[in-house]
């Protein structure tokens, strides 16, 4: 492999990658609802990894957070949890949170707080399927990674309501900075190279994406020329200023509305997609429809020195405690954590095991039209390992 490419892929791994043969400590934060079922399932799969692909010893720390914890203790993200993550853990898994739709005095989302406190500035969501349902009705194989800036845009939550003679009106501020845009751009291009390295570990017949790595920059700078203009210029500048990226990665741009249209018509056209916070949130949730269920889609909240795997689905209070929640998203999120901590072989083993269970079709939870339990899915994945 080209030395510059190898150097970039190595640099893409965070400095906290755990050396072979040592201990990998994972914080477990089930939080609310079905999080208390899918996170134990992910742990079960991690513990089932054979030593030839997972040389490190796994250690787990059970930690508290969530709306239900807030109702009992008056805090959604306790200091003890943050302290343990910062001092004792190499990464973490977060289940789900039942944040209320109305304002509750003293409450703020623990996952949002976690992103801020741990500086997890990127939300990374892979969308993978051998039979994605598209708007044209055709089944397509897709392997797309959506990277969403996690700290800015309209989600800084700086809103105010006013009233004049015509009635009430509200104004929300939007923040886009060169700093945040540059570092998310760096992550997008470095992860494009890292994904290419992961693909080389798989047989050619198993690779959905066969071309050079490609990054799609999403924006709406034709309308929002100042904020999205700064975003576009900065992310593009990351590419233009790096010889390795220019030599080994293709780049394109998409307006956010046409991005959504193309994603549902031809999702196989995208490799790595990078977007500001709100666009990325909408695109990534919409992309889940391509694979049939939120229960299949993992994510990771990533910073320079920490990663938190988080299934995309919510707390699903209607099925909590029934042992029918789909654990695949949580299991894949655990694989993402391994990938970001330097254990590619272990991550690939989990991805393959999950793919085989889904392809077989015998074990499926109700969201996929089956009648299997959470436990049965986890057991089936472990058997494949």
């Amino acid at each position: 492999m080209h030395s510059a490419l190898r150097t970039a892929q190595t640099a893409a791994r965070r400095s906290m990658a755990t050396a072979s043969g040592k201990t990998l400590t994972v914080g477990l934060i089930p939080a609310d609802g079905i999080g208390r079922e899918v996170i134990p399932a992910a742990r079960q799969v991690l513990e089932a990894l054979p030593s030839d692909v997972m040389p490190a010893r796994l250690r787990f720390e059970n930690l508290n957070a969530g709306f239900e914890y807030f109702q009992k203790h008056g805090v959604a993200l306790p200091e003890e949890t943050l302290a343990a993550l910062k001092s004792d853990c190499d990464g973490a898994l977060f289940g789900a949170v039942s944040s209320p739709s109305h304002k509750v005095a003293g409450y703020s989302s623990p996952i949002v707080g976690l992103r801020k406190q741990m500086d997890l500035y990127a939300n990374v969501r892979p969308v993978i399927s051998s039979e994605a349902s598209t708007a044209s009705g055709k089944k397509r194989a897709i392997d797309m990674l959506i990277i969403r800036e996690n700290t800015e845009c309209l989600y800084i939550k700086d809103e105010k309501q006013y009233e004049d003679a015509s009635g009430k009106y509200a104004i929300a501020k939007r923040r886009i900075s060169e700093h945040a845009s540059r570092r998310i751009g760096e992550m997008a291009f470095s992860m494009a190279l890292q994904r290419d390295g992961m693909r080389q570990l798989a047989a050619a017949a198993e690779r959905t994406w066969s071309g050079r790595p490609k990054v799609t920059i999403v924006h709406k700078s034709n309308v929002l020329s100042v904020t999205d203009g700064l975003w576009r210029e900065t992310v593009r500048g990351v590419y233009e200023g790096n010889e390795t990226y220019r030599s080994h990665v293709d780049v394109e741009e998409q307006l956010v509305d046409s991005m959504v249209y193309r994603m549902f018509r031809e999702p196989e056209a995208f490799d790595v997609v990078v977007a500001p916070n709100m666009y990325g949130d909408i695109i990534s949730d919409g992309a889940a429809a391509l694979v049939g269920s939120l229960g299949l889609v993992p994510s990771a909240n990533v910073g320079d020195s920490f990663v938190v795997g988080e299934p995309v689905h919510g707390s699903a209070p209607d099925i909590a405690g029934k042992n029918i929640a789909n654990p695949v998203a949580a299991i894949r999120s655990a694989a993402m954590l391994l990938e970001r901590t330097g254990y590619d072989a272990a991550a690939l083993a989990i991805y393959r095991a999950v793919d085989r269970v889904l392809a077989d079709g015998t074990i499926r939870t109700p969201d996929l039209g089956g009648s299997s339990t959470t436990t049965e899915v986890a057991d089936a994945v472990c058997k494949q390992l």
Side-chain angles (χ1 to χ4, degrees):
M1 181 179 295
H2 193 285
S3 59
L5 177 57
R6 172 60 68 191
T7 300
Q9 290 172 345
T10 301
R13 308 196 185 286
R14 297 171 313 153
S15 59
M16 59 83 178
T18 305
S20 174
K22 293 188 177 180
T23 299
L24 182 71
T25 301
V26 179
L28 301 177
I29 313 172
D32 301 325
I34 62 172
R36 293 192 291 269
E37 297 162 64
V38 298
I39 294 301
R43 173 178 177 165
Q44 178 187 343
V45 171
L46 287 173
E47 292 179 319
L49 283 164
S51 59
D52 61 329
V53 296
M54 186 58 192
R57 184 174 68 88
L58 285 162
R59 177 176 168 272
F60 299 94
E61 287 237 4
N62 296 308
L63 303 170
N64 293 311
F67 184 62
E68 293 169 31
Y69 187 86
F70 169 82
Q71 290 177 306
K72 294 177 182 177
H73 303 281
V75 60
L77 182 60
E79 286 296 328
E80 296 85 352
T81 293
L82 282 172
L85 292 173
K86 291 177 180 179
S87 64
D88 301 332
C89 300
D90 300 300
L93 293 175
F94 188 96
V97 62
S98 299
S99 290
S101 58
H102 58 282
K103 184 176 178 61
V104 175
Y107 175 79
S108 60
S109 169
I111 188 62
V112 173
L114 198 59
R115 291 168 183 166
K116 290 180 179 178
Q117 291 290 331
M118 304 299 292
D119 197 23
L120 307 174
Y121 59 85
N123 184 264
V124 181
R125 296 190 184 184
V127 184
I128 303 168
S129 175
S130 59
E131 293 186 332
S133 298
T134 66
S136 64
K138 296 179 180 179
K139 298 290 186 180
R140 304 288 179 86
I142 61 171
D143 181 10
M144 178 167 53
L145 186 72
I146 301 170
I147 301 179
R148 161 191 164 195
E149 203 288 319
N150 232 2
T151 67
E152 294 192 330
C153 197
L154 285 169
Y155 288 11
I156 59 172
K157 296 179 69 174
D158 188 352
E159 299 178 287
K160 290 184 180 179
Q161 184 170 282
Y162 304 90
E163 189 169 3
D164 60 15
S166 65
K168 293 179 181 179
Y169 65 97
I171 295 176
K173 292 184 179 179
R174 184 180 194 236
R175 176 182 170 85
I176 298 290
S177 72
E178 193 174 41
H179 168 70
S181 302
R182 182 184 297 111
R183 66 179 183 175
I184 200 72
E186 287 281 2
M187 181 168 288
F189 289 109
S190 65
M191 291 191 78
L193 290 176
Q194 184 180 350
R195 274 161 61 83
D196 189 58
M198 282 282 289
R199 286 171 179 143
Q200 305 310 316
L201 297 176
E206 296 178 341
R207 301 175 200 165
T208 303
W209 182 271
S210 58
R212 279 162 49 99
K214 182 173 75 171
V215 172
T216 302
I217 305 169
V218 178
H219 59 83
K220 189 68 175 173
S221 62
N222 60 326
V223 176
L224 300 172
S225 58
V226 177
T227 51
D228 272 15
L230 178 60
W231 158 268
R232 173 192 173 275
E233 292 167 8
T234 304
V235 177
R236 183 120 201 159
V238 170
Y239 177 79
E240 300 293 348
N242 187 297
E243 183 181 353
T244 299
Y245 298 157
R246 295 197 310 271
S247 301
H248 299 285
V249 182
D250 294 331
V251 67
E252 67 174 8
E253 300 179 25
Q254 281 289 151
L255 297 176
V256 63
D257 42 0
S258 62
M259 172 69 210
V260 172
Y261 176 82
R262 284 194 67 199
M263 183 177 72
F264 283 106
R265 297 290 298 184
E266 47 174 340
E268 74 280 6
F270 299 103
D271 181 18
V272 175
V273 176
V274 62
N277 205 340
M278 188 176 74
Y279 300 161
D281 191 10
I282 295 168
I283 290 168
S284 55
D285 277 2
L290 295 168
V291 297
S293 171
L294 283 172
L296 297 175
V297 184
S299 78
N301 298 285
V302 179
D304 291 329
S305 60
F306 206 78
V307 57
V308 176
E310 178 197 4
V312 168
H313 59 68
S315 61
D318 55 324
I319 62 170
K322 298 181 180 180
N323 195 31
I324 58 172
N326 191 338
V328 166
I331 293 169
R332 282 175 164 167
S333 296
M336 291 185 72
L337 186 153
L338 292 177
E339 192 175 343
R340 290 298 297 171
T341 50
Y343 295 102
D344 287 356
L348 190 60
I350 292 177
Y351 292 140
R352 286 173 168 171
V354 169
D355 289 346
R356 285 193 290 266
V357 170
L358 294 175
D360 176 71
T362 303
I363 306 295
R364 289 178 180 259
T365 43
D367 60 309
L368 298 177
S371 58
S372 303
T373 65
T374 307
T375 303
E376 288 171 337
V377 174
D379 288 345
V381 174
C382 289
K383 184 178 180 181
Q384 289 293 335
L385 287 171

